[in-house]
Structure formats: structure tokens, C-alpha cells
Amino acid sequence: MNKLMMGRYFSGDSFLHQLDPRTKLFATLYIIALLFFVENIWGFLLLFAVTFFIMHQTGIALVAFINGVKPLIWLILFAVMLRIFFTGGGIVYFRAGPVMLSSFGLITGFYTFSRFVLMIFISTVLTLTTKPIDLTDAIHALLKPLQIFRISINDFALMLSISLRFIPNLLDETTKIVDAQRARGVVFGKGNIIQQMKKLVPIVLPLFASSLKRAEELADVMEVKGYQSDQKRTRYRQLKWQVRDAVALLMIVLLTAAVVFVNRL
Amino acid sequence: METKRTLFLIEVAIFSALALVLDLLPLSFKVWGQGGSVSFAMIPIFIVAFRWGLKGGLLAGLLYSILQMAIGDAYIVHWAQALLDYPIAFTVLGLAGLFAPAVQAALKADNISKFIMLVSAGVFVGTSFRFIAHYAAGIVFFAAFSGDMNPWLYSLVYNGSFLLPSAIINIVAVSFLFNKRPKLVAVAA
């Protein structure tokens, strides 16, 4: 249960852990976009090298990253197979109707596979090294431009932090109710769909009822303490731009230059 | 007035968290082995939608999708796929809120059969739009990763094989639950 509570965050004090979450979120999105501009095998090898270097920097075991790929492996293989067997060109080794195995097919298959795996690795780096609450701050910063559409970003950020804050409590409460039902002899995960559904009802109903009560109490407390959603608020956690963030951005620029260069090889 | 607003914000926040919790816990049961799990995760979103109307539903769905991404529970392989599979797919669940006024009226009139019918209709609309969003995401995905060979068909095969059955089961589950405890939908005075 503890693992779920913390999301997928691994604590640590590496360079990447200490980066400003805004820098990390931006860099992650940027590298993912960059993957679509890579045109040849050297580009992919370069990005593999960079990605593995970044992953090594986090100080987190490789297994954690591989686990990020696992749930998607069938989808990836499906897409890669389509690419391999339906792309013609180059030396054709084998052909049966529309299906063929060619050198171009193998290469594009490798590109598809690399793009996928690298994307998952890079986004896993972000979620493993950034606390969800910090990521919320980064998302808040990123959404700021939306304020011109008269959307209240502050309300939204407040809701995000309240949600994140209550996930552990709600998880606790749910496990307690599940355990209580188990102690009464309910066996979960057995029987047909209708039977399984019926077993879940006595778990979710009390959970919903107590959540409604909790929301009401929290709203009352906030009002009593003077909360008003349209007032300007100051922040408890201040994000600060530091030298290491500039270094990270510089590396992103260098990486872009390297990709442009390698594309011409 | 202000009280209602704070309560609205907090209820949406807590129910989005609840959606995530229900999704994280291994309470959901597998139907089709691969990916086709059915969980109660969508129900908190629907509750908010019926309690607070369209705005509440859309907001709760959006918040839930952002939570999934912040926790690292989301699978992202393409920017358009990410938008369609998370913010859009879950926000449209809130469209069930279109039925909120009618649902509230039916509840007030103690007309339970009409209430269940309207709730099911709302859930059906929300889930259908979610399916459309995932389907579109699939098209983007297969168009980007499998060359230009008929991504519409691939997406239909891939999504249809587990999303459609899971959508139907969700509708049954939600109607069943609301039938047991219609009061969940009643707005706080």
C-alpha cells in the first residue's frame, strides 16, 4: 500500500531530483517532441545514450524504468510488427501477399520501437524523480497562460493539491473497509461479474458517504479560517530558478544541436 | 453563495481523488485479461456530475485525468494521444452532468424509476464520449506508429475489443449503485 501512496516517486538527491519541476516538465515534453525529429539510426543511438545517461544520473535502479514499459509491451510489439511486415523497400527477404520482410521494414520497426521505449523512459524519469505535489506546481505554472481565458488557475491548483493530499487518507479508509468486509468472510475476485459487482457495493457506498461528509467539513473549516477563492493567495512552497536549471536548459539546447547535426549524417 | 463555491471546489477535488483511489486499488476485476479491467473509478465523477451539473462533472473529469498523469499512472506515447486519452477522454465523462437538472427533479418528485433511467442515460452519454475520445486517440497512435495503413480499423479492433464491453459493464454497475442509494446524488442544502 505504501508504494501506491507515494505514486511512483523515488526519493533521492540526484541532480535530476533537485531540478525545478518546471524545468523537468518542460524538458520531458521537449525531448519527447525531439524524438519525432530524429531521422536516422545515429540519432536514435545518440538519444539512447543520452537517455541512459539521464537514467543513470537519477540513481534509481534500471528495473524501475523497465517496469514502466511492461504494461505497454503488447501495444508496442503490435505497432512494431505492423511496421516491420507492411513496409517495403530495400532488400526484400520474404514476401507473401501484402506481408513482407524487408530491410526498410526492419529499420522502421527499430525506429518505432526506439521512439516508444525512449518516450516511456524519459517520462518515467520525470515521475520517478518528481513528487506529485511538485509536479502539480509545475502544471500550475504551465497552465498560467490560460488565465487570459478567465479560467481560475488558482482554484484549479487548490483542487489539485487537495486531491493529492487526500489520496493517502482515502486509500487508508478504503483498505479499512475492505479488511472489515474480509473479516466478515467476503471473498473478493471470485464468482461471475454480477456477483463481484455486488461485493463491491458495500465498499464504495460507505466510502462515498464519508467523502461527502469530509468535503463538507473541510469546506466549513476553510471558510472559518477565512478562505475565499477569489482572493489573491501567497504560496507556501516557492519555486526558485537556479543555476542547475540553466545548466539543464543548456544541455537541452546542445542535444537539439546534436540531433540536427546527426540527422545530416 | 461563497460557501457553496468552496464546497463545490472541495467536493470536486475529493471525488477526483476518490476516483484515482478506486482505480489504484486492486478491487477492479479483470474481464478480458489484457487491459479490459472494469473499476468503479468513473462513479465518483458521475456522482459529482449529477450533484453539481455539467461544470462539476467536466471539472472532476479533468482533475482526475491530471491526477493520473501527475501520479505517473498515465501512458503517454504521443502528444495528441495524451490529450485525447487523458484530459479529453475523462473530461467528457462529465457530460453526464447535462442530465443533472432532470435527475434532481426526478429525485425530488420521488420518481425512482425515472431517476434511474435518467442516470443511466447520463452515464451512457458520458461513457460513449469517452469511448470516442479513446478511439480517436487510437487513430492518432496507429497513424503515428504503424505507417499509413488504415489506422481507423486498427483503432476499432484494439479499442473495441475491450473498451466497448467494459463501457457496457460500467453502465450496469453505475445504475445498480445509484439504484441502491439514490441519496448520493442529492445536493447538499
Side-chain angles (χ1 to χ4, degrees):
Chain A
M1 202 54 60
N2 268 323
K3 215 176 83 200
L4 289 178
M5 273 178 168
M6 301 311 293
R8 286 168 61 199
Y9 174 72
F10 272 65
S11 57
D13 54 1
S14 70
F15 180 78
L16 280 139
H17 280 88
Q18 291 173 34
L19 271 182
D20 189 305
R22 289 170 298 183
T23 317
K24 270 189 278 189
L25 183 61
F26 171 77
T28 306
L29 297 174
Y30 187 85
I31 294 177
I32 288 174
L34 201 61
L35 279 169
F36 286 89
F37 288 94
V38 173
E39 282 165 4
N40 58 27
I41 195 147
W42 302 112
F44 281 111
L45 291 179
L46 172 75
L47 279 168
F48 261 113
V50 171
T51 308
F52 275 96
F53 175 72
I54 294 172
M55 279 156 56
H56 179 73
Q57 279 295 306
T58 62
I60 297 166
L62 191 64
V63 188
F65 295 95
I66 305 282
N67 281 342
V69 180
K70 261 190 201 157
L72 279 176
I73 195 70
W74 292 111
L75 193 61
I76 298 175
L77 288 181
F78 184 53
V80 170
M81 288 303 154
L82 282 177
R83 262 282 154 100
I84 291 181
F85 291 113
F86 290 93
T87 311
I91 309 155
V92 178
Y93 305 110
F94 164 84
R95 179 190 284 273
V99 180
M100 67 190 101
L101 187 63
S102 69
S103 56
F104 273 30
L106 285 175
I107 291 169
T108 44
F110 172 76
Y111 289 176
T112 305
F113 180 78
S114 311
R115 215 165 259 161
F116 250 125
V117 171
L118 287 173
M119 238 183 283
I120 296 168
F121 280 165
I122 281 293
S123 44
T124 309
V125 168
L126 177 71
T127 50
L128 290 183
T129 61
T130 318
K131 287 191 196 114
I133 201 94
D134 289 337
L135 208 52
T136 314
D137 286 346
I139 294 170
H140 178 233
L142 209 73
L143 289 179
K144 259 205 176 124
L146 285 180
Q147 262 166 345
I148 52 169
F149 297 115
R150 298 182 11 100
I151 295 171
S152 175
I153 297 302
N154 286 329
D155 282 355
F156 200 72
L158 172 85
M159 290 198 288
L160 259 182
S161 359
I162 290 180
S163 300
L164 284 169
R165 172 64 189 75
F166 274 95
I167 286 170
N169 300 48
L170 291 168
L171 269 172
D172 261 4
E173 204 166 323
T174 317
T175 18
K176 262 184 210 151
I177 299 173
V178 170
D179 286 345
Q181 292 293 336
R182 281 215 177 101
R184 290 168 150 193
V186 179
V187 182
F188 294 101
K190 275 213 175 129
N192 63 33
I193 289 172
I194 300 293
Q195 285 169 336
Q196 292 196 33
M197 244 187 290
K198 279 189 176 156
K199 283 178 195 163
L200 291 181
V201 173
I203 292 170
V204 285
L205 282 182
L207 205 54
F208 289 154
S210 74
S211 298
L212 286 179
K213 200 163 161 261
R214 205 186 279 259
E216 213 171 306
E217 285 169 2
L218 184 60
D220 284 348
V221 170
M222 281 172 68
E223 301 261 303
V224 166
K225 294 199 172 183
Y227 172 79
Q228 276 187 321
S229 76
D230 50 1
Q231 297 288 313
K232 196 169 162 55
R233 298 177 68 215
T234 51
R235 303 178 69 83
Y236 177 64
R237 291 180 309 277
Q238 296 282 351
L239 293 177
K240 257 202 200 120
W241 185 260
Q242 283 169 332
V243 180
R244 58 173 84 90
D245 297 301
V247 172
L249 282 194
L250 186 70
M251 290 201 277
I252 289 282
V253 173
L254 287 178
L255 182 64
T256 313
V259 167
V260 170
F261 174 74
V262 159
N263 265 345
R264 293 186 188 180
L265 288 182
Chain B
M1 194 61 223
E2 184 59 34
T3 312
K4 267 233 152 140
R5 185 170 163 76
T6 312
L7 185 63
F8 167 76
L9 294 178
I10 291 171
E11 236 177 62
V12 169
I14 289 188
F15 272 79
S16 309
L18 197 53
L20 192 80
V21 166
L22 290 177
D23 202 36
L24 286 177
L25 284 177
L27 286 176
S28 53
F29 38 96
K30 300 282 177 240
V31 190
W32 264 260
Q34 251 287 308
S37 70
V38 177
S39 71
F40 279 103
M42 288 198 277
I43 301 178
I45 310 295
F46 289 130
I47 292 182
V48 175
F50 292 130
R51 283 172 68 86
W52 295 97
L54 191 60
K55 196 178 163 199
L58 295 176
L59 206 53
L62 180 63
L63 196 60
Y64 172 41
S65 71
I66 292 184
L67 284 178
Q68 284 178 302
M69 294 195 277
I71 293 281
D73 201 31
Y75 293 112
I76 294 170
V77 290
H78 187 279
W79 66 269
Q81 172 266 339
L83 270 183
L84 285 164
D85 261 348
Y86 292 96
I88 296 176
F90 290 99
T91 304
V92 294
L93 282 179
L95 289 175
L98 286 172
F99 292 82
V103 165
Q104 295 291 346
L107 192 63
K108 216 166 223 170
D110 235 2
N111 190 344
I112 293 300
S113 61
K114 193 180 171 198
F115 166 77
I116 291 297
M117 211 186 70
L118 286 165
V119 165
S120 309
V123 172
F124 177 75
V125 168
T127 333
S128 310
F129 275 94
R130 181 180 164 191
F131 174 75
I132 294 170
H134 285 311
Y135 176 60
I139 292 176
V140 171
F141 167 81
F142 286 111
F145 288 98
S146 55
D148 22 43
M149 298 142 310
N150 215 347
W152 296 276
L153 191 67
Y154 289 127
S155 182
L156 193 66
V157 170
Y158 184 78
N159 283 320
S161 65
F162 69 85
L163 255 179
L164 212 55
S166 117
I168 293 167
I169 291 168
N170 258 298
I171 292 170
V172 177
V174 172
S175 330
F176 186 68
L177 204 63
F178 282 130
N179 191 19
K180 279 250 169 175
R181 190 77 62 90
K183 285 270 150 53
L184 274 178
V185 172
V187 206

